[in-house]
Amino acid sequence: MGDAPSQPRPGETQRGGWKQDPDAVRRNILQVARTVFARQGLSGARVDEISASTKTSKRMIYYYFGDKEGLYRAVLEDAYARMRDDEAALDLRAVHPMTALRQLAEFTFDHHRQDPDFVRLVMIENIHGAAHMDSSEILAGQNSSVILLLEDIYQRGCDAGLFRRGLTALELHWHISALSIFNIANRATFSRIFGNDLFTERGQRMLCRHVGDMILGLVMKPGLSAEFDMPRPKEEARTINPGIFRFLDVWDSKWATLAPRATPAERRTHFESIARDMRLLTPREVETDDEHWIDSDGGPVRVRVFRHDSGGTQPALIYMHGGAWMQGSPETHWDITARLAAWNRQTVISVDYALAPEHPFPAAYLQVLSVARWAHAEVNSLGIDPARIAIGGDSAGGNLAAAAALACRDEGVPICAQLLIYPACDFDQSRPSYAENAEGPLLKVAGMAATHVLYCPDEATLHGDPRATPLAADSHAGLPPAFIAVAQNDPLRDSGLAYAEALTAAGVDVEVDRGEGLIHGYLRAMEYCPDTESSLRRMAEWLRRITG
């Protein structure tokens, strides 16, 4: 039997001030009611209980929502509205269709994981045969937006020759929802039967990635993979300067579509889209599908393994991507790691370390160090030689590689070489290269200080802790041989050169490539500037000499 309105309770007059802010009253009621309905269902929830936990009265609940079913319907409408608003905030219409589809699928999984009450409300409404949805015009309008978004992504993928035709946005939405809802709806029984491993932070992040993989696998055309061998859109023919300037013309035009004042998360998504769009063909002899999740003091970390298909026991390189500690992934730096694996017939372990500002120093450093330990512990399963494990990275990744090499020396974790590509070895902006190359190209000095604070908010740590600034280490003796590649027109040039000098002074064998005529991030220009590929080949040859 439904609850009926009652007389005001004692104390209602003290809450009368809320009537001056009706929107706040309504939001408070919906927030409390959402929790109660999600826990007790429509039948078990009582308006008295909801009222007791709000900052208003039972009378006001009836005033705003009519009855308990009206309140429940409003809770359902509000839950879906929040979900759809968060989807719209992703702004995926200008993003590469494969990146956009993965982003939407993984967003849905994470949304449901972080908001299990939403899933419970959906389950409750299913118990009631969706009767309250039928009576709500608002819900019908809200939920059409995700179909329109999926239609846009899917059609763009079909037009680009990436997605197979014959699917519908509704089918894609069903598959995404099914995978994401099961993770919450069946968690209790699944974990009771099979254990809780998949519901740890590492397990959930791994499953989230799998959801993106499965949805992409569903839509890809036969013969294409979710990661490589993708048709490239045709670039409009233009008269441009050769080499690096030709690359910058394409690169800058793609970044120009990013909204002003974009958040770090939005920049990451945009970067993933650009990198995928510009990716070169993967060498056929390189296997790229193997992924692992590793526990660390900095949280679970994913690695993607690029391995030459010749098999056997191979030398290995642990590689950290660049991106100012705030963006990038193994997928954005695919061209570098795939080619090193191909040219050197080796295994490259590419690390998807935690990104700032959500995960500031030392999270990424701790993850990289754990990956180095893990690689040694798993040499047999990985098929790598423990005496021939090198470490390397570019830009921010070069910083992490140098810092991890110091820690590995101190812990006795064998590292045979370090490959540091336009690395940030300290944060001293008084060096001449900062003034000479203040406007880049590609990397500009103006925003660097703000980026550094997001990575490591404590200034003393940023400049004095060798885990953050490898040049500050008390000693560089005993480190493995190093190849340090800098670029003539890079603000970070002198930081890399200073590190080369410090290593040489400590008795470490160092080879320096000065990158004449090149810029920060030049390995992205291999399609446009032959000298950049030549530079990567010199790095590969040096690694080959060191690892035999």
Side-chain angles (χ1 to χ4, degrees), residues 83-95 100 103-108 149 265-266 269:
M83 172 74 177
R84 302 285 90 96
D85 287 347
D86 289 344
E87 284 172 346
L90 295 174
D91 193 18
L92 298 175
R93 295 187 182 277
V95 174
Q103 182 84 353
L104 182 59
E106 293 183 359
F107 158 81
T108 305
L149 176 59
E266 290 167 341
T269 298

Side-chain angles (χ1 to χ4, degrees), residues 291-312:
E291 292 186 333
H292 299 271
W293 287 84
I294 299 146
D295 288 321
S296 81
D297 291 337
V301 55
R302 175 179 70 99
V303 300
R304 182 183 282 277
V305 177
F306 295 77
R307 181 172 171 83
H308 195 275
D309 65 7
S310 57

Side-chain angles (χ1 to χ4, degrees), residues 94-388:
V95 174
H96 187 288
M98 291 179 66
T99 301
L101 187 56
R102 176 184 288 280
Q103 182 84 353
L104 182 59
E106 293 183 359
F107 158 81
T108 305
F109 183 93
D110 271 338
H111 173 277
H112 293 359
R113 175 167 75 103
Q114 294 164 11
D115 188 8
D117 282 355
F118 175 82
V119 175
R120 295 186 183 104
L121 288 169
V122 172
M123 295 166 65
I124 290 164
E125 181 62 5
N126 273 282
I127 291 172
H128 291 277
H132 303 87
M133 282 190 163
D134 288 342
S135 61
S136 172
E137 294 181 3
I138 294 176
L139 281 170
Q142 286 171 341
N143 293 321
S144 64
S145 63
V146 67
I147 301 301
L148 293 174
L149 176 59
L150 275 166
E151 284 176 348
D152 173 75
I153 296 170
Y154 178 63
Q155 189 58 52
R156 288 193 290 115
C158 290
D159 292 344
L162 302 171
F163 296 169
R164 64 187 180 94
R165 297 190 182 273
L167 299 172
T168 67
L170 185 62
E171 292 166 356
L172 294 178
H173 182 52
W174 186 94
H175 287 292
I176 293 170
S177 295
L179 293 166
S180 302
I181 287 177
F182 180 92
N183 183 58
I184 299 301
N186 287 58
R187 173 172 180 168
T189 53
F190 196 98
S191 58
R192 179 63 60 87
I193 297 169
F194 300 109
N196 202 47
D197 285 354
L198 292 180
F199 299 99
T200 63
E201 180 64 21
R202 180 178 72 166
Q204 289 288 281
R205 291 178 63 181
M206 179 181 67
L207 289 179
C208 181
R209 179 85 185 172
H210 289 174
V211 168
D213 290 339
M214 285 187 278
I215 297 302
L216 284 174
L218 171 67
V219 302
M220 294 300 298
K221 291 182 72 172
L224 295 184
S225 147
E227 299 299 350
F228 58 92
D229 288 337
M230 298 179 300
R232 290 285 309 281
K234 295 180 180 178
E235 294 290 347
E236 185 178 339
R238 305 175 247 186
T239 302
I240 55 174
N241 289 324
I244 209 74
F245 297 101
R246 192 153 52 105
F247 157 72
L248 286 171
D249 184 63
V250 176
W251 180 259
D252 290 344
S253 70
K254 292 180 179 297
W255 273 102
T257 61
L258 181 66
R261 296 183 295 279
T263 65
E266 290 167 341
R267 290 189 64 85
R268 284 178 208 136
T269 298
H270 199 75
F271 184 26
E272 294 284 343
S273 179
I274 291 173
R276 182 184 293 280
D277 193 36
M278 298 180 70
R279 187 184 296 170
L280 304 174
L281 290 177
T282 301
R284 293 187 180 276
E285 65 271 29
V286 177
E287 299 167 348
T288 65
D289 294 336
D290 195 17
E291 292 186 333
H292 299 271
W293 287 84
I294 299 146
D295 288 321
S296 81
D297 291 337
V301 55
R302 175 179 70 99
V303 300
R304 182 183 282 277
V305 177
F306 295 77
R307 181 172 171 83
H308 195 275
D309 65 7
S310 57
T313 301
Q314 301 180 1
L317 170 67
I318 300 168
Y319 192 88
M320 277 63 69
H321 63 81
W325 301 276
M326 295 176 65
Q327 61 191 22
S329 68
E331 289 69 41
T332 61
H333 287 61
W334 191 287
D335 290 343
I336 298 171
T337 50
R339 275 152 184 74
L340 289 174
W343 297 341
N344 281 1
R345 301 173 69 86
Q346 71 171 115
T347 296
V348 179
I349 300 168
S350 190
V351 184
D352 191 17
Y353 57 83
L355 299 175
E358 295 89 343
H359 305 284
F361 175 86
Y365 164 83
L366 293 172
Q367 290 182 341
V368 171
L369 192 53
S370 291
V371 171
R373 298 179 188 128
W374 169 83
H376 275 280
E378 297 295 330
V379 290
N380 292 331
S381 62
L382 292 170
I384 61 177
D385 184 346
R388 296 188 293 163

